[in-house]
Amino acid sequence: MNNRNRLIQLIHVGKRELGLDDDTYRAMLENVTGKTSCSKMNIQQLELVLANMEKQGFKRQVNGKQTTFKKRLSPKAGRAKHGEIDVIRAVWITMAKHGIVRDGSETALDAYVRRMTQRNKGQGVDTVAWCSYDQAYRVLESLKSWHRREMIEQLKAKGWTVPMNTSGTAPAGYDAVLDAYEFMTSSLTESAE
């Protein structure tokens, strides 16, 4: 079997192992290579697809033995296609710790990303790792806006002063509001002890 056919076979095994339906699989192919079929790809593109599947948790056979398959977990920071994807994950986890989202898992984040990216003429992605730079930027900004609004509401509800912008006309940006919120929660925790 030549190298190209072996790569295609591995990709199809990966599709099955990862449990990708046909639409998700084709969207992943197109996101990685711009093509929706392995038969139209060259060897380099097939290797890119396989590498992407391995990032999602697919394990190749080693010495003819199947390695154990692990379910997809959030990857380590710094491994994402774009730096914004790592920040999206960090904001999502922080929102879960703040009680703003009920489920801080990668699966719940992927569902949010799917909804947010489908708003753009139905061209959504199924997982945050597949976001293009523009998609990741839009998702990140929407998450930060949502998080900021919720923190401002909670600061006001607890009688704390909301930090204002330099002109004093509106609440400050995300980082300043986050700092104030973190200070408030640490102060409330210390006073409760």
Side-chain angles (χ1 to χ4, degrees), residues 54-56 74-83 85-86 89 129:
E54 288 174 333
K55 284 181 188 175
Q56 301 305 317
S74 292
K76 292 180 182 176
R79 301 248 172 126
K81 182 164 76 167
H82 308 291
I85 293 171
D86 287 334
R89 286 184 174 116

Side-chain angles (χ1 to χ4, degrees), residues 24-168:
T24 304
Y25 168 71
R26 301 232 179 255
M28 184 268 304
L29 292 179
E30 188 170 17
N31 192 37
V32 173
T33 67
K35 297 177 182 173
T36 59
S37 172
C38 288
S39 64
K40 298 176 183 173
M41 294 179 199
N42 61 34
I43 289 178
Q44 291 82 8
Q45 291 168 326
L46 292 169
E47 288 173 347
L48 283 173
V49 170
L50 191 57
N52 184 277
M53 293 176 111
E54 288 174 333
K55 284 181 188 175
Q56 301 305 317
F58 172 62
K59 301 285 184 189
R60 296 185 198 203
Q61 288 187 354
V62 177
N63 297 329
K65 295 181 182 178
Q66 179 71 36
T67 59
T68 57
F69 178 73
K70 293 183 180 179
K71 299 224 182 256
R72 186 174 60 86
L73 303 173
S74 292
K76 292 180 182 176
R79 301 248 172 126
K81 182 164 76 167
H82 308 291
E84 286 74 12
I85 293 171
D86 287 334
V87 180
I88 289 168
R89 286 184 174 116
V91 170
W92 186 260
I93 291 167
T94 302
M95 289 175 73
K97 287 178 182 175
H98 290 167
I100 296 169
V101 295
R102 283 179 275 141
D103 185 355
S105 72
E106 185 85 358
T107 304
L109 174 58
D110 288 344
Y112 176 80
V113 167
R114 191 174 309 115
R115 283 191 309 274
M116 291 304 298
T117 57
Q118 285 175 346
R119 291 181 179 178
N120 183 21
K121 301 176 188 171
Q123 300 298 317
V125 294
D126 286 327
T127 179
V128 68
W130 297 346
C131 283
S132 68
Y133 174 81
D134 290 338
Q135 290 168 326
Y137 180 80
R138 284 193 300 274
V139 169
L140 176 58
E141 290 305 312
S142 71
L143 263 182
K144 285 169 55 178
S145 294
W146 175 21
H147 192 201
R148 180 175 169 267
R149 280 191 312 273
E150 293 293 328
M151 290 187 295
I152 289 171
E153 283 182 24
Q154 289 184 29
L155 283 165
K156 288 179 180 177
K158 295 197 185 333
W160 285 71
T161 303
V162 176
M164 300 301 279
N165 63 13
T166 54
S167 62

